[in-house]
Amino acid sequence: MIIFAAYFVTTYTNGGGGHDYYEVFRYCFDKYLPMFAVFICAKEVEEQRIVRILFTFFLIYFGFGLVEYLLNHNYIREAIATAFPSTKAKDMFGPAGITNGFGTSSWRTRISITTKHPTVLGALLSTMFLFSLSYFKDAKEKFNIHREKVVLAALLITILLSGSRTSMGCAFLGCVIYFTNSLSFRKKLLAIITYAVLAVSLSSYAISSFSSKEGGSSLDLRQQQLLFTLVEFASKPLFGHGLYYTNHSILANAGESGNMYYSKEETQGLESIIFYTLLDIGLFGAFALIVFYGEIFFTFFSRRKEHPRLAMQGLLETSLLVVFLILSGEIGRNTEMCILFIGMSLGFLHKELEEAKATEADPALLEQSEDFENE
C-alpha cells in the first residue's frame, strides 16, 4: 500500500489526470500483485512438487541458452518477434528485436533466450540459481542430489553465457553467504577476515574492469548518470516528477515516447534503481521501496532459526535482487520475474508456519503430513 501511495501522491502533486491515475494502478498491479498470486499458490501446493517442476524448467531453459550460444542466433526471440511484431521499426537489437550474435565484448558472450536483454536474463538466472542453492543440503532428503548438482551447474553456465557481470557477482556472493552461514562462529569470523583481505586485494582489478565499457556500463558512465540525476532531482526532491517521467521524458527519443533505451548521451539508461526512483517518485517513493523490501527481508530474517532453509532462500533472493537493482537497475521487467520467486519463498515459509501451529494443536497431523510426503 505504501508504494501505491507513493505513486498516487507523485501523480497528484504533478497534476495528473484520470489516465495518469489509471497508469499508477496498472503499474502497481502488474509489478506487485503477481507476488501475492504466487504466494497463495505456494501455500496450496506441495513444495516438492513445485520445485521438481521448476528444476525441469531450469534445465530446459539452459538448453535453450546453449543452443543460442552454439548457433549464435536467438531463434526463440525471432519466432516471438515474427508472431508478435514490434510496433517499433527498430530497437537496440535490430528489426523487431531479433537477436543475431551477441559477441559485444572481448571476453564475454551475451545471450538473452526469451528476455529482452542479457542483463535481464542474468537477473532471472541469478535468482533461479539462489532459489535452487537453498536446496543443496536438503537434496538428499527431498530430491535427487545428482539432479540438484546438474541444475546448479546448468544455471551457473547460463549465467556466464549471459555475460552479466552483476549476475555473476550476485551468484558468487550468494554462494559465499550460503556456505559461510553454515560455519561455526570462529570459522565465520576467519572467513569474513579472509573475504575482506581478498576484497581489498582485488579492488583495483574490479575498478579497472568496470572502468572500461566493454559492452556494459563503466564507472565514468555511472558518475555521469549520478550527476545528471542530482541536477534533475533538486527541482522536485520530495515527491518526484511523476510515474514514467524517466522513460517518457528523459530516455525517450524524439518522436518515440516510451523508448527507454540509451537515447541521450548524458543519461545512457540511468542504470540504477536509485537514479530513476529519485527522479520519478522522489524521497517519499524511495522510502516506500525501502519499507517494502525491508519488511520482506525482516520477515525472512525473523524466521531464520525456526526455518533456516526457507529463511536463507528468501534472504538471498531479496538481498541480491536489491543489490542487482542498485547496480544495474530495472531492464525488461526483471523485477517482476525475480519477485515471483520471493513470493514463492514467502508462501513456502507461511505454509511451514501454519503447519507448525497446526501440529502444536494436534500432533496427529504431523504423522499424516509425513505419510503424504513418503507417498
Side-chain angles (χ1 to χ4, degrees), residues 247-263:
N247 290 347
H248 292 176
S249 300
I250 296 178
L251 302 180
N253 285 320
E256 293 186 4
S257 179
N259 181 16
M260 63 180 291
Y261 287 108
Y262 309 108
S263 58

Side-chain angles (χ1 to χ4, degrees), residues 85-370:
S86 173
T87 57
K88 304 171 190 174
K90 184 178 181 181
D91 68 8
M92 67 184 299
F93 295 137
I98 297 174
T99 301
N100 187 1
F102 266 117
T104 58
S105 169
S106 61
W107 62 274
R108 55 177 173 160
T109 58
R110 306 229 70 184
I111 66 170
S112 63
I113 311 181
T114 58
T115 60
K116 192 176 183 70
H117 188 281
T119 303
V120 184
L121 177 64
L124 178 61
L125 289 170
S126 59
T127 306
M128 290 177 175
F129 179 82
L130 296 176
F131 175 86
S132 305
L133 181 65
S134 63
Y135 292 97
F136 186 76
K137 294 182 179 180
D138 292 340
K140 293 181 180 178
E141 301 176 3
K142 297 185 176 182
F143 306 98
N144 186 311
I145 184 64
H146 299 294
R147 190 181 186 189
E148 165 74 4
K149 291 179 179 179
V150 170
V151 169
L152 289 173
L155 290 173
L156 188 58
I157 291 172
T158 318
I159 290 174
L160 295 176
L161 293 179
S162 75
S164 172
R165 293 172 293 188
T166 308
S167 302
M168 296 177 197
C170 286
F172 175 75
L173 182 59
C175 290
V176 169
I177 294 173
Y178 179 77
F179 291 107
T180 303
N181 184 65
S182 62
L183 301 176
S184 63
F185 177 78
R186 180 178 296 180
K187 291 182 178 179
K188 282 182 183 178
L189 185 60
L190 292 175
I192 292 173
I193 295 174
T194 303
Y195 299 153
V197 173
L198 289 175
V200 172
S201 303
L202 298 175
S203 59
S204 59
Y205 170 78
I207 292 175
S208 63
S209 174
F210 279 90
S211 293
S212 59
K213 189 167 175 54
E214 285 290 334
S217 300
S218 64
L219 290 180
D220 290 338
L221 176 59
R222 295 302 174 89
Q223 293 174 358
Q224 192 169 285
Q225 293 171 349
L226 175 60
L227 292 175
F228 176 88
T229 299
L230 292 176
V231 172
E232 291 288 319
F233 166 74
S235 61
K236 290 188 177 181
L238 191 56
F239 299 117
H241 295 79
L243 179 63
Y244 294 130
Y245 170 77
T246 303
N247 290 347
H248 292 176
S249 300
I250 296 178
L251 302 180
N253 285 320
E256 293 186 4
S257 179
N259 181 16
M260 63 180 291
Y261 287 108
Y262 309 108
S263 58
K264 291 187 177 181
E265 294 181 358
E266 67 267 27
T267 58
Q268 289 290 309
L270 293 178
E271 296 167 303
S272 173
I273 193 174
I274 298 174
F275 300 148
Y276 48 80
T277 294
L278 292 176
L279 292 176
D280 288 3
I281 51 180
L283 290 175
F284 180 63
F287 173 75
L289 287 175
I290 292 173
V291 171
F292 175 74
Y293 285 108
E295 186 174 358
I296 294 175
F297 184 90
F298 179 76
T299 299
F300 288 117
F301 184 79
S302 62
R303 302 297 182 179
R304 68 191 186 281
K305 293 183 179 179
E306 300 172 73
H307 303 283
R309 176 177 58 79
L310 291 176
M312 177 56 65
Q313 183 182 77
L315 288 172
L316 289 176
E317 293 167 344
T318 306
S319 301
L320 297 183
L321 173 59
V322 172
V323 171
F324 196 100
L325 292 177
I326 291 174
L327 294 179
S328 293
E330 293 179 304
I331 304 177
R333 307 181 75 90
N334 59 347
T335 303
E336 290 92 318
M337 294 186 292
C338 297
I339 210 169
L340 291 176
F341 286 91
I342 297 176
M344 193 182 309
S345 298
L346 283 171
F348 291 156
L349 179 61
H350 196 271
K351 184 177 181 179
E352 290 282 348
L353 295 173
E354 288 183 341
E355 290 179 352
K357 290 181 180 179
T359 302
E360 291 178 0
D362 186 0
L365 292 176
L366 178 61
E367 297 179 2
Q368 295 179 6
S369 177
E370 291 176 348

